[in-house]
Amino acid sequence: MSRPLRVAIIGAGPAGVYAADILTKAERDFEVSIDLFEQHPAPYGLIRYGVAPDHPRIKGIVNALHKVMDRGDIRFLGNVTYGKDLTLSDFRHFYDAIIFSTGAVKDADLNIPGIDKQGSFGAADFVSWYDGHPDVSREWPLEAKEIAVIGNGNVALDVSRVLSKHPEDMLSTEIPDNVYSELKRSPVTDVHVFGRRGPAQVKFTPLELRELGHVKDVDIIVDPEDFDFDSESMQQISSNNQTKNMVKTLQNWLLEEPSGASRRLHLHFWHQPKEIYGGAAVEGIKFDRTTMDADGRVVTTGEVLDYPVQAVYRAVGYFGSALEEIEFDHKRGVIPNEGGRVLDVHEEPVPGIYATGWIKRGPTGLIGHTKGDALETIGFLLEDRLSLPPAEEPGENAIIELLEQRGVEYTTWDGWLKLDAHEMSLGKGYDSNGVARERIKVVPREEMVTISRDFAADRQS
């Protein structure tokens, strides 16, 4: 092939950026030309719209992704939605290979009675709201004094921290103004976090757990009855330093006397959700008390525990979304694949179609784990290079011409830099009680697109 290999990557979160970076750096004797598509006007996916704004490691990840994109050898095309603005046949027409890195943004189901009552929410929806996702409502019904969060992973911690934290302590982050205003009106006094296993089996990471202890005017409450460790838990604690550190953190909170803070965050273990009860709205939630049997399985004890709450957030995991014209595993929430090679209905590889990240392996692991996914997927793409179905119009301007013909208001990397600078300036211009704000995130999609696309007009004028 005398021309560059044309590759489209759909999804500009960490998985998509890592895949593009690995492909550009791979040892090869041919050129590549990569377009990175994103349905939102801004890049970064999960980093921008899926992690709490006060998360301490986000800046480092954003900086790393920025450096990759800012090199100029990967073209970013935002505000372009797969299946709406461009179809699979469109991508096949302009590219030799297509990589799906669309992630997982929906909440996994929790099938218990009452889960659909008013006041019962999916954590993913709440995260999208407080992260200023452009396609969700600007408002959120924060009316409950007592709240249950179901889950023992980092998302549950993020949700419970945002719910219990005083909004003034979030001002130093990029929290959108509408989110700050809504949180300020919240009457919450108690947030309860429930896990079906014990302290030695939590899915938190130590840093996220320790963050809870630094939240101002919030007491952390744990129950001594949850720390009666069985032999398997003791083995886990003694053999795994991460587990040992987290259990130690939790036990330290056991020893602390409540300070009389205005808000309390309760961490409960050995609780399996049984039923959300009430009339049309949530009035409480019941749990089966659990324990571990001799084979390490979670079993119920017969004891039922009842907590009066007015809102329930399920943080039991994310789930992928099906894509048009691509096979989908509705049980696992992933695109069927072998090592990143996408499979058809007969479980045969589809030439030129690949997957990476959570839509490939499911929503497990930390963000850094997507690098291994991308490395495997890119390895197979390079191995398949000579057998890829060639694009009919591989010129780099051809896809731009199509987008413009269809009236798609696509955004670019230069446009993101303009939007990024605008958000930073909003933060610097904020003045209230001497609080310095890093940025204020722009929420409306139309405003994001307008600011981003004005950059092109500025350059032409």
Side-chain angles (χ1 to χ4, degrees), residues 16 21 26 31 33 42 50 59 64 137 144 216 266 306-307 334 361 373 383 406 439 446 453:
D21 186 39
E31 294 183 16
S33 172
K59 290 180 185 177
S137 172
K216 295 179 183 177
H266 308 256
D306 188 331
Y307 296 83
V334 298
R361 75 174 192 274
D373 269 343
E383 185 178 307
R406 293 181 177 177
R439 72 165 68 222
E446 299 79 9
R453 287 176 65 84

Side-chain angles (χ1 to χ4, degrees), residues 256-421:
E256 293 181 6
E257 290 291 330
S259 67
S262 66
R263 296 179 176 181
R264 290 160 294 280
L265 202 162
H266 308 256
L267 300 178
H268 305 274
F269 305 96
W270 305 115
H271 281 63
Q272 179 171 290
K274 180 181 182 69
E275 175 191 3
I276 298 171
Y277 63 86
V282 173
E283 295 178 16
I285 182 169
K286 294 181 180 180
F287 292 86
D288 284 316
R289 184 73 171 176
T290 59
T291 189
M292 201 90 76
D293 69 10
D295 297 321
R297 295 174 301 186
V298 174
V299 295
T300 59
T301 65
E303 181 182 5
V304 176
L305 302 168
D306 188 331
Y307 296 83
V309 297
Q310 301 82 51
V312 175
Y313 291 75
R314 69 181 188 278
V316 294
Y318 284 90
F319 202 78
S321 300
L323 297 161
E324 291 187 17
E325 301 181 78
I326 300 293
E327 283 300 310
F328 191 71
D329 184 335
H330 290 275
K331 185 176 181 179
R332 296 180 56 222
V334 298
I335 296 174
N337 69 92
E338 286 184 354
R341 288 182 172 122
V342 170
L343 305 178
D344 62 18
V345 67
H346 304 294
E347 299 187 350
E348 293 294 330
V350 182
I353 309 293
Y354 302 87
T356 191
W358 277 5
I359 200 64
K360 170 189 174 183
R361 75 174 192 274
T364 58
L366 301 176
I367 291 171
H369 293 158
T370 57
K371 289 183 179 179
D373 269 343
L375 189 63
E376 180 183 51
T377 296
I378 295 303
F380 282 125
L381 188 156
L382 294 175
E383 185 178 307
D384 299 340
R385 183 179 71 90
L386 297 179
S387 61
L388 295 174
E392 294 181 37
E393 288 191 69
E396 291 186 353
N397 290 332
I399 189 67
I400 300 298
E401 291 173 0
L402 179 65
L403 291 172
E404 292 178 347
Q405 287 172 11
R406 293 181 177 177
V408 179
E409 293 186 303
Y410 64 90
T411 60
T412 65
W413 181 250
D414 283 344
W416 160 246
L417 295 178
K418 177 71 178 292
L419 177 59
D420 184 42

